[in-house]
Structure formats: structure tokens, C-alpha cells
Amino acid sequence: MDKPVNNKTAHGKSAAATRTGRPSRAEAEAAVRTLIRWAGDDPEREGLIATPARVVRAYEEWFAGYNDNPRDYLKRTFEETGGYDEVVVLRDIRFESHCEHHMAPIIGRVHIGYLPRNRVVGISKLARLVEVYARRLQIQEKMTAEIAASLDAVLKPHGVAVVTEATHQCMTTRGIHKPGVTMVTSRMLGVFRDHAETRQEFLSAIGMRGANHGNGSG
Ligand SMILES: [Zn+2]
């Protein structure tokens, strides 16, 4: 196998990279080679030679959320409610994210509820909203709050409820090594914050009960 061309650009940033503060692909791949050496292996050995390029491509997928503005996206997709005035719940939206402290995977599910005022949004758009925020460096509390705030700002519903359940691989594979621990965070806005009955209706719909989910992270 031929070695990939080694574009050494240590001091030769492109105009675009300088403008956005974003390094070139070659610089990103060089950083991966550094981490491989830091781990104790040889980035030039056959099994690892293509790894930096693969890792950088994986990063493009894992962190694609920086390229999207979810609020703009939701704005273009609302529909009339046709008189529907009950709580809408979408549960078990799986997501994969990365913690901003260790860049380790966070894997879990988001449950979203809202009480429409005069707009609803398609199921796929809610899933897409979760994905845009998940595909960034995150902390779970912030992601939960961001999803709720976006829906609230764009749909202007009577209320929004977001509950996130996730496992953090920085807790399960390193540090305190606690497999099986799930973190639960929630954000309740409007009627879900102010009316216990509406909140309870949502929590029952997602299979949680009785928990005292206040405004903020749980
Ligand atoms: Zn972490």
C-alpha cells in the first residue's frame, strides 16, 4: 500500500482556515498521528497508516451539527395544527453525542413533549433537531436545555418538556468505571413547568412517574 501523501502544512494554513479558525484536514490528521504516538503506538505501521484519515472522516460525521442552525431549520417546517390542542410526545429518540470534557461518547435517548399553540412540526424534524445538537461537543444538561429552547423559540407552544437519559462512556470506561449508570436530565417550560398535571401526563407517556422534574437539569 502506498503511503498517503503527507501534506505538511504546519505553518501553511489556507486562507479559509485562517478565516474560520479551522485547521486544514492535513493538520487534523497530523493531530491524530500525535495522539497515536501519545498512546504508545507507531502511526506509520501498516494497520494504522490510514487511521488518521478515517478518524478525521468520522469527526466530520460525529460533529456535523456545527454546520446547521436548528432554529432556521425548524422555522421552515411548521404546519398548521388543524385544531389539535393536546400534548404531542415523541419518545425514545436515540442519539449519539460526545462529552465536551473527554470527547467520549454519550449514548442515550431524548423524549420530547410540547403543547402546540398553533403550530406542529413533523416527527422527523424533532429527531433532526436532536441530531443537530447531539453532533457537537456537549454536556447533557446543556443539550437538553438547547433542544427545549429551540422548540420553544420557533413553535411558541404553550409549553415544552424534554427529558434525556444517557450513559457517558467517560464514566463507564474510565474514571470511576460505573457501567449501567444512566444520567437523566430534564427541562420543563411553560405549562409543563407550571402545571403538575400536564407534566405528569408527559412523564407517564414516556414511562416515568412521580419524579420531581423541576425547571432545569434533574
Ligand atoms: Zn466526559
Side-chain angles (χ1 to χ4, degrees):
M1 189 202 306
D2 286 343
K3 277 190 183 178
V5 179
N6 191 2
N7 295 318
K8 281 240 161 63
T9 55
H11 303 289
K13 284 181 183 168
S14 70
T18 306
R19 202 165 53 241
T20 61
R22 198 168 186 173
S24 69
R25 179 175 297 268
E27 287 175 306
E29 291 180 9
V32 177
R33 280 192 288 276
T34 299
L35 286 173
I36 291 171
R37 288 207 312 278
W38 175 246
D41 213 322
D42 171 14
E44 302 302 321
R45 74 174 171 81
E46 194 184 351
L48 288 173
I49 198 74
T51 296
R54 288 193 202 98
V55 171
V56 168
R57 281 198 300 274
Y59 265 47
E60 287 179 315
E61 195 175 329
W62 290 334
F63 301 112
Y66 290 110
N67 302 323
D68 284 318
N69 182 333
R71 295 190 190 198
D72 291 348
Y73 188 77
L74 279 177
K75 260 181 212 163
R76 294 196 301 269
T77 58
F78 65 80
E79 301 152 21
E80 297 306 311
T81 57
Y84 185 86
D85 60 357
E86 301 292 333
V87 170
V88 177
V89 177
L90 191 65
R91 65 184 183 200
D92 293 326
I93 306 166
R94 190 193 142 91
F95 75 93
E96 296 136 17
S97 188
H98 289 79
C99 82
E100 67 182 33
H101 300 136
H102 303 92
M103 300 176 76
I106 303 171
I107 295 174
R109 297 171 300 165
V110 177
H111 315 285
I112 297 175
Y114 66 101
L115 183 59
R117 194 181 300 272
N118 46 35
R119 294 168 171 181
V120 293
V121 66
I123 287 173
S124 65
K125 308 307 184 232
L126 289 182
R128 178 88 183 113
L129 175 68
V130 170
E131 197 167 76
V132 168
Y133 283 117
R135 290 184 173 192
R136 299 177 180 190
L137 290 168
Q138 277 292 4
I139 60 171
Q140 187 178 322
E141 295 91 330
K142 187 176 82 176
M143 191 183 87
T144 304
E146 283 175 337
I147 292 167
S150 279
L151 265 181
D152 195 48
V154 178
L155 294 184
K156 302 191 182 351
H158 293 291
V160 177
V162 178
V163 169
T164 306
E165 305 173 71
T167 57
H168 293 234
Q169 291 190 9
C170 60
M171 277 180 67
T172 59
T173 67
R174 57 160 294 288
I176 60 169
H177 290 276
K178 291 293 177 211
V181 173
T182 301
M183 186 156 114
V184 180
T185 51
S186 69
R187 177 71 97 186
M188 302 285 163
L189 302 174
V191 290
F192 293 94
R193 185 189 57 216
D194 299 334
H195 296 121
E197 255 179 58
T198 311
R199 179 166 63 247
Q200 196 54 49
E201 185 186 338
F202 170 72
L203 293 174
S204 300
I206 66 170
M208 293 180 136
R209 71 176 97 85
N212 182 24
H213 289 273
N215 182 28
S217 58

